[in-house]
Amino acid sequence: MISHTGRLGRVSRVLLAWALTLSALGVLTVLYWLAWPVLQTCENSRLRDIDAPGGGWRLVVYEQRCTGTVEWTTHVSVVREYDMLPRKDGNVLVSFGRHGSLVGATVQEPEVEARWQGPEVIELTYRASTPLQFAASEVEKFRVVHVLAEESQ
């Protein structure tokens, strides 16, 4: 005859082991997400600056490469006139990655053309096939107009 307390004791130990394992995995996941921004380093390379009409602000077009990736991404940010090159993602536009740098040995045009349409309107022109991670319609006090360019042959 099998004792009920022995069977229940084994079941509770197995359940406790599973609960501890899941808790440990949860803690490791949280620690990973907390540590990732510290572990990830990014290099930004300025492609061009476009001063706003009337001054005070400028558009910065730059590319970014982060550790853990082999691709570069094109970014556009609107910043105060005297701010440094942003160290984070663009606040206006971020493209998906592509292989090869725009400022490396092979000089290419950026995937996006940025310009001011007026003192409070930013125009971004890019190919319809350009994959985007982020595209703002408004940043700070500025409206952002997106223009899709025709594909070149």
Side-chain angles (χ1 to χ4, degrees), residues 93-96 110-113 124-133 135 146-153:
L93 182 126
V94 178
S95 75
F96 268 112
E111 298 168 310
V112 61
E113 186 65 38
L124 300 177
T125 304
Y126 48 89
R127 294 183 309 274
S129 63
T130 300
L132 302 177
Q133 291 182 35
H146 297 268
V147 178
L148 299 180
E150 291 189 27
E151 299 292 327
S152 58
Q153 299 290 332

Side-chain angles (χ1 to χ4, degrees), residues 67-113:
T67 55
T69 64
V70 294
E71 297 179 320
W72 295 81
T73 53
T74 301
H75 295 249
V76 179
S77 282
V78 61
V79 296
R80 298 246 177 228
E81 187 175 21
Y82 297 106
D83 283 353
M84 302 292 288
L85 177 66
R87 296 191 59 147
K88 55 187 176 185
D89 290 345
N91 61 7
V92 178
L93 182 126
V94 178
S95 75
F96 268 112
R98 66 185 184 291
H99 293 285
S101 168
L102 296 175
V103 295
T106 307
V107 177
Q108 304 172 27
E109 283 301 310
E111 298 168 310
V112 61
E113 186 65 38

Side-chain angles (χ1 to χ4, degrees), residues 1-112:
M1 189 152 198
I2 299 174
S3 159
H4 288 296
T5 56
R7 179 184 279 167
L8 288 176
R10 246 181 291 163
V11 169
S12 63
R13 283 194 303 265
V14 169
L15 289 175
L16 178 62
W18 273 107
L20 290 173
T21 301
L22 290 175
S23 296
L25 286 174
V27 167
L28 289 174
T29 302
V30 168
L31 288 174
Y32 173 80
W33 285 109
L34 290 174
W36 179 249
V38 174
L39 298 174
Q40 185 179 28
T41 58
C42 296
E43 172 190 337
N44 292 341
S45 300
R46 181 186 315 267
L47 298 173
R48 73 173 55 108
D49 289 342
I50 304 111
D51 292 329
W57 295 87
R58 65 188 164 96
L59 287 171
V60 182
V61 181
Y62 57 102
E63 65 179 20
Q64 182 181 83
R65 182 175 187 182
C66 297
T67 55
T69 64
V70 294
E71 297 179 320
W72 295 81
T73 53
T74 301
H75 295 249
V76 179
S77 282
V78 61
V79 296
R80 298 246 177 228
E81 187 175 21
Y82 297 106
D83 283 353
M84 302 292 288
L85 177 66
R87 296 191 59 147
K88 55 187 176 185
D89 290 345
N91 61 7
V92 178
L93 182 126
V94 178
S95 75
F96 268 112
R98 66 185 184 291
H99 293 285
S101 168
L102 296 175
V103 295
T106 307
V107 177
Q108 304 172 27
E109 283 301 310
E111 298 168 310
V112 61

